[in-house]
Structures are given as C-alpha cells and as structure tokens.
Amino acid sequence: MTTAFDGLAGELLLAEAADLARHGDLEQAAALLERDATDDTARLDLLARVHAQAGDLDRADAAWARVLELEPESTAALAGRRVIARVRSGRLRRRPVGRRLAAAGAAVLVIAGAVAVVVTLPWSAGPEPVASAPVSPALQSEVDQLHASQSQAAQAAAARTGRLAALAQRLATAGVHTAVTDSAVTVTFDQGLFNPDATSPSPGGRAALTRWANVLKGQRVRVTVFGHGVALPGGPATGGSTIALARAASAARALADVSGLPLTNFAVSSADQSAAAHPGGDAAANRTVTLEVTPAS
C-alpha cells in the first residue's frame, strides 16, 4: 500500500536527482534514479532526460518507452522518442558533449520537489519544452517542513558532536583511550584493572582508576560503567556475568570517591562476553571496565 510518506520520499528523490543533473553530475543522477526498480513515470521520465543529456540515446529511449507502456498518452515521452528517432534517422545532427550545455538545443523543464532543472538534450532541434505538473501546495509545504526539520536535526547533531569532542579532550589522560560515538564518549583503559576472578581492582587498577577519576572533578557528566570478564571454555558465551557486573560496581564506587561526583551519576552494567575491551588482546587486558560518558542535562 502506498502511503503519503512514500509519495514524499519519491518527490525528495526526484528533487535530489534533478539537482544533481542541474549541476552536471549526470552519472550520479542516473544512479540515484535507477537505485530501486520502479514504475514511477515521473522518475522514468527524468531518467530518460538524464540519459539523453549524457548522450546515451538507447537508454533514454528505453526509459521513455517504459513510460509509454504505463501512460500511453504521455506527451513528454512521445516527444522524446520522436526526437531520438529523428536523430537516429540522420535528420538531426548530434553535437559534441562539451557543447551541449551551451547549445540552443531542446530544453526540457523538469520540476521535482522544489527544484526546477533545465536538461538540454544533445541535438540541435526538437520539440517545444514540456513541463511536468507542479507540486501541490500541500505537498510542497510538507517538503519544506521536512527540509526545515532535517536542517534543524543536522544543526543539533553537529552541536552534539562538538560538545562530545570537547568532552573527549577533557577526559583524555595517560593510560586511557577516548573515542566519540553518536551519543557519548567512550573511555577504554590501556591495562587490565582486575586480577583473575577478582571483583575489586588490583593495586595497579585502582591507581589507574584514581588517575582517570581526577579528570572527572567538576565535570557535569553521567557515566555508565561496563564490567568485562574473560570468557572461559564451557562457560556462557553471551549474556554477561556476575563477576563483570561486580567489577563495574566496584569501579563506579572508586570513581565516585575520587571525583566527588555522586554515586547516582554512575550506572553499572555487565558487558557481553563478545564485547571485549581489547579484541584479540590478552586475558589480563580484558579484565577491566570500559566507560560511556555523556554530558549531564
């Protein structure tokens, strides 16, 4: 069943393809229009025009032929095929690609979404310009609103990425690696923090936690602590473990004590056995915790 969203998505695809064609990127425009098999006559018509502009008359003719199968009375497709037939018969002379855009050839106005693009066909004469029906005001309003929301979302995403990048710099210190994801800064300790089967940090692990916790002082953040264990032969392959969860809890208490942040700013979880902190690393390095840090709202 076709929905209003499907129609809007189709209009946006036509607008993007028309914009690519208007800027001379005919190959990308054709690839976009051919991405999904479709019997949308508007898309097929624009595809035919793009192929014609690129000089591929066979593919242009095939696209317009398909339009006529779907809409036998399509004046645009009839006109396009007539021009191609005249070119093939030698009654029209094809011009070199480099001169087509400047040539006073058969110009066709393509209206897709809010974009109008003139596609100049590669011959010296042809039918009168043919324009597709204008987009309805209601649909145009939806397109404008979607563009506005997309712009706002892009601005918000850029601002969030900037805040996380700045936070990653503040959280960086010796002995850890920081990385920015879509929603958080991840912190991975270079060394293991726990001895085998232990749920409290080793002396070296507590020193590493203390060193990093100092950078948390004064930060308005929330921290999720993921405990890691080493999968044992015959043991569970997924689902986490009580040892990993206990390691996360003890690390969270140590970080809260040193940083001065309330323990309620920390959440704890067991990482899955498949999510090793150091994939391919030795067992000692993977007896650890990893952190996801987000700005507190």
Side-chain angles (χ1 to χ4, degrees), residues 44-45 47-66 68 76-94 106 108 121-127:
L44 289 166
D45 182 64
L47 177 62
R49 299 168 195 271
V50 170
H51 282 320
Q53 173 66 25
D56 192 339
L57 300 189
D58 289 340
R59 295 177 74 178
D61 191 52
W64 269 320
R66 181 55 182 157
L68 290 174
L78 287 168
R81 296 202 76 193
R82 279 199 300 268
V83 172
I84 290 176
R86 293 172 65 190
V87 170
R88 286 172 170 168
S89 70
R91 285 179 288 169
L92 286 180
R93 180 171 57 86
R94 296 176 60 174
V108 182
L121 302 182
W123 39 75
S124 58

Side-chain angles (χ1 to χ4, degrees), residues 186-256:
T186 62
V187 179
T188 304
F189 290 87
D190 294 340
Q191 67 181 75
L193 306 180
F194 300 87
N195 291 324
D197 300 323
T199 58
S200 296
S202 65
R206 183 166 295 277
L209 288 167
T210 298
R211 184 168 55 249
W212 185 79
N214 281 308
V215 305
L216 280 183
K217 292 179 178 179
Q219 303 280 2
R220 293 176 53 84
V221 296
R222 296 189 180 278
V223 182
T224 300
V225 185
F226 294 91
H228 293 266
V230 178
L232 299 175
T238 60
S241 70
T242 56
I243 288 180
L245 185 60
R247 287 173 175 171
S250 64
R253 286 191 295 271
L255 293 172

Side-chain angles (χ1 to χ4, degrees), residues 73-150:
E73 303 303 318
S74 171
T75 57
L78 287 168
R81 296 202 76 193
R82 279 199 300 268
V83 172
I84 290 176
R86 293 172 65 190
V87 170
R88 286 172 170 168
S89 70
R91 285 179 288 169
L92 286 180
R93 180 171 57 86
R94 296 176 60 174
R95 298 187 176 188
V97 173
R99 296 169 55 193
R100 288 177 193 149
L101 294 177
V108 182
L109 179 66
V110 179
I111 299 177
V115 179
V117 55
V118 175
V119 178
T120 306
L121 302 182
W123 39 75
S124 58
E128 292 299 316
V130 179
S132 64
V135 178
S136 69
L139 183 56
Q140 186 61 61
S141 176
E142 290 186 53
V143 172
D144 291 342
Q145 291 177 13
L146 181 58
H147 285 168
S149 65
Q150 288 175 333

